[in-house]
Amino acid sequence: MEFRARFAPSPTGQVHIGNIRTAIFNWLCCRHAGGTFLLRIEDTDLERSTKQAIDTLLECMQWLGLDYDEEPMYQTKQCAKHLAAAETIRTQGNAYKADPAVEASPLYFRIPVDCDDFPFVRTVGNAEVTLAAEQHFLVNRAGLTFFTLSAKGKPVETQACLAGFKDLKVYDADGNILFALNAETLPGILDGSATFECDNAAKITYTKREVFYHDMVKGDLSKPLDSMRDFIIIRSDGSPVFHLANVWDDIDQRVTHIVRGDDHVENTYRHLFLFHLLGYPVPVYAHLPMIVNKQGKPYSKRDGDAFVGDFRDKGILPEALFNYLTLIGWAPGDDREKMSKAELVEAFQIERAQHSPAQFDQAKLANMNGLYIAEMPDERFIELAWDFAQRMDWFSKAEKVKFDDVAKLMKSRTKVFTDLAAWGYFFNNELEYDAKGVRKFMGTTEQRDGLNKLAEGLESGTFNTPEDVENFIRATEQACGMGEFQLNQPLRVAATGTTVGAGMYETVLILGTAETAKRIRTALEKNPLA
Ligand code: GLU
């Protein structure tokens, strides 16, 4: 069977990671199956779906390498077809105007009462419901309205479609039948000419049915028909509603597989009817669980970066974001995490998607990005880092040759490009000192004497390799009667202002030995012993 799946976003200006993960999963399914990946822009919310919002979406997709196979479909251009589909449904007798007397009245889709032979409807048994006493009971074209009692004894209103109550019988408290939905009463109810209402209904009985389907991710799902309601397909202003537009466009794009967020599961129970009545096979569904925060709540901007653009701005690589997002709610079944696109395409099976919500972890994404940086050629890293560095406050002081050396040295310590903020000490001669570091590593006369000796030696000696620097530091420690490595941290604090950084011997060579000596003297001067 041909495999055709689509990404059908509603552009809003920012692309949430949850949405783009849906796009990625669809893309992977299609590429894995050798199928067709389609894009449909559900741009019917004219206020939010601006040209800019659509451009942002397309840019995000391009940045992540989510290429699609046919011309994108724009939902707004499909309006005439949606109206024609509504007309088909109406002609079948499966739609009604909320108020037939009013021309501009919304058009409702009626879930057909006669649906026993639909492949996704089944009978589950007989139901009996006790009603709250002396409450209004109504059966009309739009369905049933009745009241039951809550656990606390309060009347609770239920409104539901007629289809949920096959063979409905309504009884009074003495067991007399007040009304029955049957071949005699049904036509009048359906065409709106008849209504049944009363205040003394005590009980109803009916045949219970449910809508069911198999979801590739969530397994077997079902929903009782008596919990569903007829729904609007054309608004009073004549515009098609999401359900109709979405289903018709899936038909029009000949979609065979629908992979989307599980916030659409409830819609699917309705969409099954529309596909069936419009005469098309129901596609295969796969609903992906939400991306959540550490508390298990839907992941939002409040939890940190949530939009693709945020990650791009922070210097996350598209291949790392792509890889990381595939692992939110999916795993290859072995212990691989870092996987190239080709490996992902090869391994991707939607059935392996996780059923429960998947947690988004910024730190894991940063680690993944670090792995991609580590494996990239130095030249590429330098190029990307130079681009990113333009926004750093130290950039104006960075000469390219020195920058390249710094980048090579710092590459293995870089997880995300915002880490470049910590490279400032290479280029700023005015340092800010870490107060704790100063106390700990420049706080004794022994340390300060050692630093003075280092400054003297660095000024007068010749150092060509990191080993030369290292040997000199070791010799100075010995000469001062200090233990091995006792001068490394004092030197780091004095020369960089911080207690953490890349290899100290390499750092000294990049700074230059004369500059390092100067920095040591300045540090001693600016941070006198208390
Ligand atoms: N425009 C809908 C959304 O973004 C698409 C739903 C679907 O994939 O069918 O939620």
Side-chain angles (χ1 to χ4, degrees), residues 6-11 19 22 26 40-43 75 242 246-247 250 258-261 263-264 267 271 285 287:
R6 83 313 192 256
F7 175 43
S10 309
N19 275 333
T22 301
N26 271 292
R40 177 167 77 243
I41 298 187
E42 300 210 324
D43 55 349
Q75 192 153 66
F242 165 75
N246 183 265
V247 167
D250 278 329
I258 293 184
V259 178
R260 60 183 174 188
D263 47 333
H264 286 291
N267 294 331
H271 296 185
Y285 284 99
H287 284 97

